[in-house]
Structures are given as C-alpha cells and as structure tokens.
C-alpha cells in the first residue's frame, strides 16, 4: 500500500474534488520567504498546490529566529528562497518548485509572476509591493496582499486594475523614502496573516466563498478585533 494515498484526505469536504483538481494544476508565486512567506509556503505545499515560484534575495540571520518558520539555528546565513525550496521538497515531493534567489524590483517583477495563476505578497517594504502590484496589473494576475506589525495584521485581495496598495499606502510607486511604522514582529502575527492569505489565494483559484476584493481585513490581536473595511 502506498503510504501517501491518504495524503490529501483531510482536504475534503472543505474542498470538493473539482476544487482540488484546480488546486493540483495551479501555480502560485510567493514573493518573500521570511515571516509571512514561510507559513504561506508551508501551507501551500501541504495542501497540494502543483507549483510554487519562490522569490527572495535575502539570507537568514539570528533576528529571524523568533518568528520565521524556515529559519533554524543551523541555517543562519543561508538564502531564504533555497531553504524554502528544501522545506517544500521535504514536505511534498510532488510540488514543482522554481527558486529566484534575488530581490524583486520593478525591472524583474514580471519574470517572477509570469507563469503563476495567483501571486502572494509576503514582502516587507512598500516600494517592492508597489512594483509587484504594477507587474500583476500588467500581466493580469490576482495578488493577495498581507502585512503585519506587532499585534496587527491586514490582508486584501487585489485584482488587476484595482490598485489597492496605492490607496492603502497613499504613496507614489517607487517612492523609496516612505517608511511605514513598525510595532515589531512577534511569532504569532505572521502565522495568522499567512493563513488568511493562503485562504484567499485558494478561494480565488477555486471560486469558493467571498474574497476580500476592495476590502481590507484588519486584525488587532491585542483587543481581539477583526474588522473588514470597504475600500
């Protein structure tokens, strides 16, 4: 008996067989393999996505150990994207993984998302996010955005032409002078935001449920408030 025949049993009935068939032929680009990205990549590999395109030019350092799922004491100094690929292969050898060990910018963003069905933003800076949104708009790719800070997280789903990030951050594309406030990054916030981002990506792929298009889910864990704003 093949030990892996029951691998996906617990995906049902949350997803129908038709839903899961879509998942198993879909590719997702995850841009950023750190705090948010690590949990996103883990979930997608386990649920049975067909392909993952992993983008991150950074390496792990000691400050990542408090929250980044893929960071261990043994891989400090290692490229995050490479560590992410190794983790995917260890979890699910059936997932096709493409690695780009580089930082995303306006000149290379289109290359990283061209072969994906959905793009997930796990970045940590506004200029790169805006460059990613611009590339998704041009190539007509849906984009799932997530961001964290302290006890707070936000998630929204962006379809081509929505330009939601420009509204959220109220800054012109490429304005590298803009620096958002940070409330630190405890371990639990990226895990929560990543779970919502993965859920949104899978709903976009399968057409299930209500998505956060032109809406922002804002989470305040300190006061246990989950609020959805119309955009």
């Amino acid at each position: 008996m093949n030990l892996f025949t029951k691998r996906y049993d617990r995906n049902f009935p949350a997803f129908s067989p038709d839903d899961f068939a879509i998942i198993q032929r879909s590719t997702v680009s995850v841009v950023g393999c750190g705090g948010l990205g690590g949990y996103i990549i883990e979930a997608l590999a386990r649920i049975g996505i067909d392909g993952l395109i992993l983008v991150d030019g950074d390496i792990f350092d000691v400050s990542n150990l408090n929250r980044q799922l893929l960071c261990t004491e043994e891989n400090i100094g290692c490229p995050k994207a490479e560590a992410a690929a190794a983790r995917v292969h260890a979890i699910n050898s059936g997932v096709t993984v493409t690695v780009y060990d580089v930082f995303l910018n306006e000149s290379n963003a289109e290359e990283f998302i061209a072969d994906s069905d959905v793009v997930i933003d796990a970045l940590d800076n506004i200029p790169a996010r805006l460059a990613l949104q611009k590339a998704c708009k041009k190539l007509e790719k849906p984009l799932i955005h997530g961001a964290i800070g302290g006890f707070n997280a936000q998630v929204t789903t962006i379809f081509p032409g929505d330009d939601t990030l420009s509204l959220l951050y109220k800054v012109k594309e490429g304005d590298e002078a803009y620096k958002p406030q940070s409330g630190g990054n405890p371990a639990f916030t990226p895990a929560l935001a990543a779970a919502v981002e993965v859920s949104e990506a899978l709903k976009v792929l399968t057409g299930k449920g209500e998505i956060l298009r032109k809406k922002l889910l804002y989470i305040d864990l300190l006061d246990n408030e989950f609020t959805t704003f119309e955009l």
Side-chain angles (χ1 to χ4, degrees), residues 42-198:
E42 179 91 5
L44 290 171
R46 289 189 181 279
I47 208 161
I49 202 76
D50 179 59
L52 284 170
I53 299 170
L54 309 179
V55 184
D56 199 318
D58 202 5
I59 62 173
F60 287 122
D61 64 44
V62 174
S63 68
N64 301 143
L65 284 168
N66 82 310
R67 71 198 181 282
Q68 296 195 13
L69 181 67
L70 304 177
C71 184
T72 69
E73 293 181 358
E74 288 71 37
N75 69 9
I76 301 299
C78 295
K80 293 182 180 182
E82 296 290 346
R87 179 65 177 171
V88 173
H89 290 312
I91 294 168
N92 191 342
S93 59
V95 179
T96 300
V97 183
T98 303
V99 173
Y100 292 98
D101 186 17
V102 293
F103 291 108
L104 179 139
N105 56 49
E106 194 163 338
S107 66
N108 61 22
E110 292 179 25
E111 176 185 1
F112 303 150
I113 68 171
D115 296 326
S116 61
D117 299 291
V118 173
V119 180
I120 302 184
D121 162 23
L123 290 159
D124 62 359
N125 70 89
I126 306 306
R129 285 187 170 121
L130 292 172
L132 182 59
Q133 178 182 253
K134 184 176 181 179
C136 287
K137 179 179 180 178
K138 182 176 180 181
L139 298 183
E140 299 185 335
K141 307 287 184 180
L143 171 64
I144 315 299
H145 161 71
I148 59 170
F151 281 78
N152 302 319
Q154 65 183 36
V155 177
T156 186
T157 292
I158 304 165
F159 274 54
D162 291 347
D163 294 327
T164 305
L165 294 183
S166 303
L167 174 65
L168 284 178
Y169 294 113
K170 298 185 186 301
V171 60
K172 293 180 180 179
E173 294 181 7
D175 183 0
E176 301 199 9
Y178 183 88
K179 298 292 182 183
Q181 297 296 317
S182 174
N185 298 116
F188 47 84
T189 320
L192 174 62
V196 180
E197 286 192 85
V198 170

Side-chain angles (χ1 to χ4, degrees), residues 190-212:
L192 174 62
V196 180
E197 286 192 85
V198 170
S199 174
E200 283 292 290
L202 295 175
K203 287 190 294 180
V204 168
L205 287 170
T206 61
K208 292 180 69 70
E210 182 178 345
I211 60 173
L212 291 166

Side-chain angles (χ1 to χ4, degrees), residues 5-39:
T5 55
K6 295 186 176 181
R7 176 192 287 273
Y8 300 121
D9 281 2
R10 299 303 176 92
N11 283 348
F12 308 102
F15 292 102
S16 71
D18 288 343
D19 294 333
F20 190 54
I22 294 170
I23 293 169
Q24 287 200 294
R25 60 174 182 264
S26 297
T27 295
V28 176
S29 290
V30 182
V31 187
C33 300
L36 283 170
Y39 288 102

